[in-house]
Amino acid sequence: MTAADEHAERFTHLRPLLFTIAYEILGSATEADDVLQDGYLRWAAVDLAQVRDTKAYLAQLVTRQALNTLRSQARRREDYVGPWLPEPLLLDDTDAAEDVVLAESVSMAMLVVLETLTPDERAVFVLREVFGFSHDEIASAVGKSAAAVRQMAHRAREHVHARRRRFEPVDPQQSQQITVQFLTAAATGDLQGLLAMLAPDVVFTSDSAGKVSAARRPVLGADKVARLLIGLMSRAGSEYRVEIASYNSAPAVIVYRDERPDSVFLIEVIDGRITNFYAMRNPEKLGAVTVRRVISR
């Protein structure tokens, strides 16, 4: 085996894990792809004889690249029009089925909470809590001392635990049933049927970046959200079609207009009721939503 082949083999073996790290730090699948592409070019120039732990080395390399990308976008996200949501991630059905930690780590609710951390805190939390890297390994990735990383990890953990809602894995069969019921009620204008499915404090959040029509602020409360959903469905014409899917370990609906992705609606369910709708309408974040991704940790 040539050195180039060995580089490729090691990287390919760890690619799902590396993609997951980059995606959880960035909240963007397309940007995670860019980080991995750049990371591979850097990896290809490394002397393998100097690498003691390929997994730790590549995780550190990808983390540094993802952090550089995240920091460079800070101003752009501050100027973003309306709510900013992570790119929806279409998952291989088997990815997170048996791994609750992995499923929660890529859930839309968790990614939204991670947005409230600093870039360094976010990377430390992801590497420590999701992937179990040591403080020393994380220190090399973020350019901090192990002591600083330990404090950062504690602070980030408390911050996340104080803000995240309880994660409840949804059984695929139950997921499909809830999604079908929601779609039927919205399409038929069944207000009471919708209200029965929604938590009283349900939230509907849209990300459009101001590029297409969407609510610029989250819509709060079961009655307002139910009426919004019925209104959206009543305006849908024959050029639209919907498919039921699973994004970010949650039930979802992808809407096509003239056979091109127009929107993705992710549905968060707790105790059998819908607690959150995350609506992705930003065309720039819909370009790769039909690409099925493989994740791991």
Side-chain angles (χ1 to χ4, degrees):
M1 180 184 295
T2 66
D5 289 340
E6 187 170 357
H7 276 95
E9 184 177 283
R10 292 194 195 187
F11 193 92
T12 301
H13 174 69
L14 291 168
R15 186 180 179 87
L17 177 144
L18 300 174
F19 173 83
T20 311
I21 291 174
Y23 176 72
E24 292 188 15
I25 291 175
L26 291 165
S28 168
T30 51
E31 289 171 358
D33 286 338
D34 291 342
V35 163
L36 261 62
Q37 184 175 358
D38 184 68
Y40 181 75
L41 294 175
R42 294 170 184 267
W43 167 244
V46 170
D47 180 0
L48 294 180
Q50 304 300 315
V51 178
R52 289 184 296 177
D53 184 334
T54 301
K55 178 180 175 181
Y57 187 96
L58 283 173
Q60 291 163 0
L61 187 157
V62 165
T63 297
R64 285 192 289 268
Q65 294 303 112
L67 276 174
N68 289 339
T69 300
L70 189 60
R71 291 183 186 120
S72 70
Q73 294 179 345
R75 181 59 186 271
R76 193 171 71 183
R77 291 194 182 183
E78 286 176 7
D79 297 336
Y80 202 79
V81 177
W84 188 98
L85 290 175
E87 278 186 22
L89 196 67
L90 180 61
L91 296 177
D92 184 288
D93 293 338
T94 61
D95 281 344
E98 305 298 330
D99 190 335
V100 175
V101 172
L102 181 62
E104 181 179 21
S105 73
V106 297
S107 69
M108 191 62 70
M110 174 61 84
L111 292 169
V112 168
V113 172
L114 292 183
E115 282 294 311
T116 64
L117 297 172
T118 67
D120 284 346
E121 287 174 342
R122 183 168 183 165
V124 167
F125 180 87
V126 167
L127 293 177
R128 182 65 182 163
E129 298 298 314
V130 181
F131 297 94
F133 286 102
S134 70
H135 293 114
D136 288 335
E137 290 169 327
I138 298 170
S140 297
V142 299
K144 306 286 184 182
S145 69
V149 164
R150 191 174 287 106
Q151 289 181 335
M152 208 177 294
H154 177 73
R155 189 165 62 245
R157 190 184 311 114
E158 287 194 332
H159 179 97
V160 170
H161 288 180
R163 286 163 177 76
R164 70 178 177 185
R165 301 180 73 151
R166 174 166 54 90
F167 178 75
E168 193 172 282
V170 181
D171 176 83
Q173 188 171 356
Q174 182 193 22
S175 166
Q176 177 138 347
Q177 181 181 1
I178 289 172
T179 309
V180 169
Q181 288 176 344
F182 143 68
L183 283 172
T184 301
T188 58
D190 182 3
L191 180 61
Q192 294 307 312
L194 265 181
L195 290 173
M197 299 180 65
L198 303 179
D201 59 348
V202 62
V203 181
F204 186 102
T205 307
S206 300
D207 179 336
S208 70
K211 300 177 187 299
V212 294
S213 62
R216 296 287 179 90
R217 295 181 180 177
V219 178
L220 313 176
D223 186 71
K224 288 183 179 178
V225 170
R227 294 180 187 278
L228 170 66
L229 291 168
I230 290 173
L232 289 174
M233 292 296 286
S234 69
R235 292 192 292 272
S238 59
E239 71 272 23
Y240 292 92
R241 71 177 179 87
V242 300
E243 286 184 359
I244 295 172
S246 176
Y247 281 83
N248 296 78
S249 305
V253 174
I254 179 168
V255 180
Y256 292 90
R257 183 177 186 179
D258 297 326
E259 298 308 312
R260 303 181 74 170
D262 175 83
S263 312
V264 176
F265 297 86
L266 285 81
I267 304 166
E268 183 183 68
V269 179
I270 296 178
D271 293 331
R273 286 196 165 191
I274 298 172
T275 57
N276 272 285
F277 288 94
Y278 301 101
M280 178 52 66
R281 299 223 58 225
N282 182 351
E284 291 184 359
K285 296 185 182 180
L286 291 169
V289 293
T290 58
V291 178
R292 194 170 292 277
R293 306 287 184 165
V294 179
I295 60 173
S296 77
R297 68 184 183 99

